[in-house]
Amino acid sequence: VAAARATDLSKVYGQGETKVIALDRVSVEFRQGQFTAIMGPSGSGKSTLMHCMAGLDSVSSGSARIGDIELTALKDKKLTQLRRDKIGFIFQAFNLLPTLNAMENITLPMDIAGRKPDRAWLEKVVETVGLSGRLKHRPSELSGGQQQRVAVARALASQPDIIFGDEPTGNLDSRSGAEVLGFLRNSVRELGQTVVMVTHDPVAASYADRVIFLADGRIVDDMLGPTADSVL
Ligand code: ADP
Ligand code: ADP
């Protein structure tokens, strides 16, 4: 089952002498329950691919689907709704609100959207990311790794179909980074989530089931790791 799929996806910035082909007819499928890392040199199109698939950036040609919904056919309002309902994001900067405790931060997007979190799911998420004893703590009382785990839990809270991470461990020391990646991998395994993560760190990529390499806006390699069997 494809959680998301790009077909002949191109993204061109500028025109004439400033024209940049950021994505050149990329086709790729992100399977449900799979943890994919996107790697490649700076400027190879990693962020653009993720932004196009997440409906954060418009597409020049081709198709970008989340489940069976064609993003390129949606107007702004529907796109915003789709992002809210089906997509989770984890950014390099954790973007937590300092005055709210961990649990309040985790449920904030759902509170804003007027949605009630599923209690059983929320408990499972909090346990999976290892935050059970830290829910009343504010961000300033948590380590960097714990703060990023709050951000992971926040992305998972609404049960999105797919989660996109942009260098989610880029700001963490290697030990905290390893913890967060371990929890991300757990949530893929135990909660059946689909995760797509951009990283330049081979150690981070080693946590993924699959690694896609981009160069000059094209996929030049697509490798399944040893742990991928269970999802194929
Ligand atoms: P990566 O994430 O792999 O570093 P990006 O997706 O950010 O690569 O960028 C791919 C290419 O598109 C680069 O050449 C970059 O300069 C260009 N690019 C990205 N965003 C824009 C933009 N908003 N305007 C013009 N060019 C852009
Ligand atoms: P990354 O760290 O993934 O390589 P960048 O630092 O290249 O990302 O880009 C950060 C942001 O700036 C992105 O949103 C991208 O769209 C935009 N951007 C990248 N390159 C350009 C460019 N040449 N002109 C305008 N915006 C750009």
Side-chain angles (χ1 to χ4, degrees), residues 73 96 143 191 200 210 214:
L96 303 180
S143 70
L191 309 171
H200 64 262
R210 178 186 184 193
L214 284 180

Side-chain angles (χ1 to χ4, degrees), residues 14-195:
Q15 47 187 309
E17 289 194 347
T18 62
K19 179 170 159 180
V20 173
I21 301 177
L23 293 177
D24 187 6
R25 288 162 295 162
V26 168
S27 294
V28 62
E29 184 183 308
F30 299 108
R31 291 200 191 90
Q32 206 178 319
Q34 199 172 50
F35 183 4
T36 302
I38 301 179
M39 300 191 78
S42 183
S44 58
K46 303 181 297 293
S47 302
T48 303
L49 176 59
M50 200 173 63
H51 290 171
C52 287
M53 293 312 294
L56 291 170
D57 215 344
S58 67
V59 161
S60 300
S61 65
S63 146
R65 283 170 174 259
I66 297 290
D68 53 11
I69 300 170
E70 177 61 52
L71 298 186
T72 57
L74 296 183
K75 298 245 189 318
D76 282 355
K77 200 173 154 195
K78 290 266 184 213
L79 200 55
T80 304
Q81 199 178 351
L82 176 103
R83 276 202 301 268
R84 203 180 61 200
D85 295 344
K86 308 236 181 235
I87 299 175
F89 296 99
I90 306 165
F91 298 101
Q92 189 173 128
F94 322 132
N95 296 331
L96 303 180
L97 282 190
T99 54
L100 301 183
N101 70 31
M103 185 49 112
E104 290 163 346
N105 266 290
I106 290 168
T107 56
L108 183 66
M110 300 197 69
D111 290 340
I112 290 172
R115 285 177 59 189
K116 282 242 180 306
D118 179 318
R119 282 288 143 198
W121 170 263
L122 207 53
E123 259 175 47
K124 207 167 168 189
V125 165
V126 163
E127 199 180 306
T128 305
V129 302
L131 280 171
S132 296
R134 293 285 182 279
L135 295 175
K136 291 273 161 64
H137 291 60
R138 290 190 184 169
S140 62
E141 298 160 337
L142 298 171
S143 70
Q146 288 168 339
Q147 290 181 51
Q148 189 59 305
R149 282 192 250 163
V150 173
V152 170
R154 180 180 55 189
L156 286 162
S158 62
Q159 297 184 263
D161 292 352
I162 187 161
I163 292 169
F164 293 100
D166 197 353
E167 299 274 1
T169 56
N171 272 332
L172 301 176
D173 60 63
S174 57
R175 194 171 137 224
S176 308
E179 279 173 14
V180 168
L181 289 162
F183 293 122
L184 259 183
R185 189 167 62 187
N186 271 355
S187 48
V188 171
R189 293 273 179 282
E190 290 174 28
L191 309 171
Q193 292 294 299
T194 306
V195 178

